Amino acid sequence: MAGSRQGSHGARGSGGKTDAQQGVWLGLCALALGLLTAQGAIAQQCQLKLIASFDMQGNPAESIVVPITMNGKQIPTLIDTGATAGLMEASAATALGLTTRPVRQTMMIYSAGGRRYDRFATVPELEIGPLRIRNTDFIVADNIFHGDAGVTASLGQTALEPFDIEFDFAARKVRFFSQDHCEGKVVYWSGNFVSVPFKLIGGDEIALQMTLDGRDIDAVLDTGASFTYINSRVASQVYGIDETSPTIKRYETGNPAKPVVYGAPFESLSIGGINMPKPTILLIDDKVRQRARWDIPDKMQNQPGEFLPHFPHLLLRFTPPQPMHSKLRPGA
């Protein structure tokens, strides 16, 4: 019966095909079906896979903070793409029952203010949605976050690297996606977007090439920064600006450790067709470089290829002033 139906169908639709022609036609149908199935599988693979979604806590205009569960306890955690390792207040480490250990002498980890960190602890279990991440290291010290937004820990590149991360400021969400998808297929909320290239410096800093007042400048994108900063050395040598310049702005911080900061007005900061007109960028002394010169012997500093830690030429504060979507792939 099956052969009879195939013959009748072939006689009417194919102008009297031979058995060989009928076999070729059926083979082409099977191939087309196979291609459609493969295309469906590829489309399935290209779909984004949401792992976890977190509400932004506090004021996202100041810092990006989400609740991360560590050892069964929720910890207000700063998402910090500008740091290699995560940081943790000593009080939080004590509350989690962690034991601190000394950092290897050969490892030099500094704060932006030139403070060298020398203790760390390991969190046995950290939760990102359904994922349980084992044995994550955190640098531990007192007064890291100065009580900002109740933050007691941060996630650096070591923990963020396995994910694609979306910052949805309009909905106040941070979403973690799997990196198992087709290359570049990450923007789902709009067909109109800007993609800019970046590279990783030292395996952790998201480095961008930007244009500040018509001059190229190396920048680091930092979701943990509260302001955008320009290295004072670069401001002076490249732009002729310092704290005594007539256009400089003086701001009182209320912080006894640094009661005054200085802001330099510029005409424009741009990247990839995105222009930020008339930004005021804070000057910052390169205390990282100063401390590193103290820690690293002169004979090593002068060796070819020796990398002397320093504050970035431009540290770009990531948090935008208005609702928007942004997506990062720290591990790319």
Side-chain angles (χ1 to χ4, degrees):
M1 293 291 292
S4 173
R5 285 201 294 268
Q6 287 174 359
S8 299
H9 178 76
R12 291 199 305 266
S14 62
K17 293 182 183 293
T18 65
D19 288 344
Q21 290 173 322
Q22 184 77 9
V24 170
W25 184 81
L26 291 173
L28 289 174
C29 285
L31 177 60
L33 181 60
L35 289 174
L36 289 173
T37 304
Q39 289 173 351
I42 291 172
Q44 187 72 20
Q45 292 172 1
C46 285
Q47 291 182 354
L48 291 176
K49 301 171 185 176
L50 180 65
I51 294 174
S53 178
F54 297 97
D55 293 328
M56 294 183 183
Q57 297 182 336
N59 184 3
E62 296 177 355
S63 54
I64 301 172
V65 180
V66 300
I68 298 293
T69 301
M70 305 182 194
N71 281 7
K73 296 183 179 181
Q74 278 201 352
I75 304 294
T77 303
L78 177 71
I79 304 299
D80 190 358
T81 60
T84 303
L87 304 177
M88 182 177 290
E89 292 283 354
S91 58
T94 300
L96 291 174
L98 307 180
T99 301
T100 64
R101 304 186 299 282
V103 172
R104 294 196 310 270
Q105 280 297 108
T106 53
M107 291 186 65
M108 297 181 183
I109 304 173
Y110 301 97
S111 70
R115 178 185 182 185
R116 184 172 177 179
Y117 297 121
D118 58 6
R119 306 287 297 181
F120 79 100
T122 302
V123 174
E125 184 175 89
L126 184 151
E127 298 179 25
I128 303 290
L131 300 183
R132 302 295 186 269
I133 303 173
R134 307 291 182 184
N135 300 325
T136 304
D137 290 338
F138 287 81
I139 297 297
V140 177
D142 291 314
N143 300 319
I144 300 175
F145 304 104
H146 308 289
D148 293 346
V151 175
T152 54
S154 67
L155 290 184
Q157 290 285 14
T158 302
L160 300 176
E161 185 176 3
F163 306 99
D164 280 1
I165 303 172
E166 176 192 357
F167 299 92
D168 182 351
F169 292 95
R172 295 171 60 94
K173 296 282 188 181
V174 177
R175 301 185 181 96
F176 287 68
F177 289 89
S178 166
Q179 292 185 359
D180 182 18
H181 56 71
C182 293
E183 188 65 29
K185 303 296 183 181
V186 295
V187 180
Y188 63 89
W189 60 85
S190 173
N192 184 22
F193 62 92
V194 175
S195 176
V196 295
F198 66 85
K199 60 183 178 180
L200 293 180
I201 298 178
D204 54 56
E205 291 185 343
I206 299 176
L208 305 165
Q209 186 76 45
M210 304 191 73
T211 302
L212 180 63
D213 280 11
R215 297 175 182 266
D216 289 342
I217 186 169
D218 294 328
V220 169
L221 185 65
D222 188 354
T223 59
S226 298
F227 302 96
T228 293
Y229 295 93
I230 186 170
N231 190 313
S232 294
R233 174 170 49 84
V234 175
S236 176
Q237 294 176 0
V238 178
Y239 297 93
I241 297 174
D242 60 26
E243 295 176 0
T244 65
S245 298
T247 58
I248 210 74
K249 297 180 180 180
R250 186 177 186 272
Y251 301 97
E252 295 184 0
T253 67
N255 180 0
K258 192 172 181 60
V260 176
V261 295
Y262 297 91
F266 291 88
E267 286 300 314
S268 67
L269 176 65
S270 61
I271 183 173
I274 302 174
N275 184 52
M276 292 154 269
K278 297 191 178 301
T280 295
I281 302 176
L282 298 186
L283 303 180
I284 188 169
D285 293 334
D286 194 348
K287 293 185 177 179
V288 176
R289 189 185 187 96
Q290 294 171 12
R291 177 59 191 265
R293 285 190 179 279
W294 178 268
D295 291 335
I296 300 174
D298 290 342
K299 62 180 181 180
M300 290 183 61
Q301 294 179 25
N302 297 326
Q303 289 181 359
E306 177 65 28
F307 175 76
L308 189 66
H310 62 84
F311 191 84
H313 291 179
L314 181 71
L315 186 74
L316 184 66
R317 171 187 181 232
F318 178 70
T319 312
Q322 69 270 352
M324 64 174 288
H325 274 84
S326 297
K327 196 151 197 166
L328 290 177
R329 185 172 187 174

